[in-house]
């Protein structure tokens, strides 16, 4: 069943067109990677879905309802959680206080205690340090925290912008193992922005490559990540090196 449908959206920042007729679909339980060079429009796409920026053309539907023009809070209450680039933890708050911030976006707050237990079972290090300030966590632990905070909103779909940024390879492996486990155990749908296609190749799922605000390529993540077509689309040259 289609969970998210982005149809021909255009986003502008003043005279700059950041997205040009971008489209994608995402089914329940899928993992979809969005890759491409800097300035391709990947983060703008995420912000448009989240309601942070408003498209000037096209439409976005989530769970069968049009969400174009709705506020980020309304979209979050429908079951969409976003983990922004750079993690954005609140360092002066405790780990548990950071996690509880996610509750404000959900309609069924009575289930929050259950989900807090789930987050702590997934990330035991957060449980052991739950009363410590979040600013004392390592980069990998902060990534766990913001994923946990997103889970506290009771989402159907989590969108994560550059989860590998600034992390050691072993930590990245741990983060992705957790994400795949969440997909397999609770049916969570994942939309993941990564500048490199390497992680998509290791994880699997589907992948789109963006360039100059457009979707340039789409297909199976492992197949595309291993293909010359991806390199050609990424760097903007064709069969004859143009």
């Amino acid at each position: 069943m289609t969970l998210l449908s982005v149809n021909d959206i255009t986003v502008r920042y003043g005279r700059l067109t950041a997205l040009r007729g971008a489209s994608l679909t995402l089914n329940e339980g899928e993992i979809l990677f969005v890759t491409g060079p800097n300035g391709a429009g990947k983060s703008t796409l995420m912000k448009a879905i989240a309601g942070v920026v408003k498209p000037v053309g096209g439409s976005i539907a989530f769970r069968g309802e049009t969400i174009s023009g709705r506020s980020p809070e309304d979209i979050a209450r429908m079951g969409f959680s976003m983990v922004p680039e750079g993690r954005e933890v609140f360092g002066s708050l405790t780990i548990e206080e950071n996690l509880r911030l996610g509750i404000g976006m959900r309609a069924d707050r009575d289930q929050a205690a259950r989900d807090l237990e789930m987050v702590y079972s997934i990330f035991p290090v957060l449980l052991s340090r739950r009363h410590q300030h979040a600013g004392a966590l390592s980069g990998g632990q902060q990534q766990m925290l913001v994923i946990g905070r997103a889970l506290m909103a009771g989402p159907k779909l989590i969108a994560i912008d550059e989860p590998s940024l600034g992390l050691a390879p072993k930590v990245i492996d741990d983060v992705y193992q957790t994400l795949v486990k969440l997909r397999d155990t609770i049916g969570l749908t994942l939309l993941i922005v990564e500048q490199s296609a390497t992680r998509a190749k290791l994880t699997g799922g589907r992948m789109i490559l963006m360039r100059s605000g457009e979707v340039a390529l789409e297909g199976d993540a492992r197949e595309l990540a291993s293909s010359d077509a991806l390199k050609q689309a990424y760097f903007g040259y064709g069969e004859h090196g143009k």
Side-chain angles (χ1 to χ4, degrees):
M1 178 179 176
T2 300
L3 184 65
L4 175 70
S5 179
V6 178
N7 300 296
D8 199 29
I9 65 168
T10 296
V11 173
R12 296 191 181 101
Y13 300 117
R15 294 184 177 181
L16 173 66
T17 301
L19 291 178
R20 306 169 186 272
S23 299
L24 65 85
T25 58
L26 183 56
N27 295 325
E28 289 185 5
E30 268 197 310
I31 299 177
L32 176 63
F33 284 90
V34 180
T35 190
N38 285 333
K42 304 184 298 296
S43 293
T44 297
L45 175 65
M46 300 278 269
K47 291 175 182 177
I49 296 168
V52 177
V53 298
K54 308 300 182 186
V56 297
S59 63
I60 304 171
F62 180 56
R63 304 183 73 179
E65 295 186 35
T66 299
I67 59 173
S68 308
R70 291 199 184 186
S71 70
E73 292 78 15
D74 285 345
I75 296 170
R77 290 189 185 97
M78 291 177 67
F80 177 85
S81 284
M82 182 170 171
V83 178
E85 180 182 351
R87 295 182 276 277
E88 296 186 4
V89 303
F90 295 90
S92 61
L93 300 181
T94 67
I95 289 167
E96 186 153 318
E97 287 169 338
N98 268 269
L99 290 173
R100 289 187 178 278
L101 288 174
I103 300 173
M105 291 295 102
R106 64 188 301 168
D108 58 341
R109 296 191 183 190
D110 57 321
Q111 300 297 320
R114 176 205 63 193
D115 287 343
L116 184 61
E117 290 182 5
M118 178 189 70
V119 170
Y120 282 146
S121 69
I122 296 168
F123 303 116
V125 66
L126 300 183
L127 175 62
S128 65
R129 303 181 65 179
R130 65 188 184 278
H131 299 307
Q132 297 181 20
H133 286 167
L137 296 176
S138 68
Q141 291 166 345
Q142 288 186 5
Q143 189 64 272
M144 295 175 191
L145 176 58
V146 292
I147 292 171
R149 188 172 66 200
L151 289 171
M152 288 298 296
K156 299 294 184 183
L157 166 62
I158 288 185
I160 310 176
D161 198 350
E162 298 283 4
S164 301
L165 190 67
L167 300 183
K170 176 61 170 67
V171 177
I172 297 171
D173 289 344
D174 292 343
V175 168
Y176 270 94
Q177 286 173 9
T178 299
L179 291 174
V180 171
K181 182 178 179 181
L182 287 167
R183 190 277 306 266
D184 293 342
T185 57
I186 66 174
L188 192 65
T189 306
L190 298 166
L191 176 62
I192 304 173
V193 167
E194 285 281 16
Q195 187 169 344
S196 169
T198 301
R199 187 52 53 173
K201 182 177 181 179
L202 293 172
T203 305
R206 284 195 304 120
M207 181 169 65
I208 63 172
L209 181 135
M210 298 192 67
R211 184 173 179 83
S212 302
E214 300 175 328
V215 176
L217 209 59
E218 180 176 0
D220 178 85
R222 290 193 173 102
E223 291 179 2
L224 278 184
S226 302
S227 70
D228 289 338
L230 181 74
K231 297 174 185 177
Q232 292 170 0
Y234 193 105
F235 294 108
Y237 62 84
E239 292 180 359
H240 302 292
K242 296 179 181 180

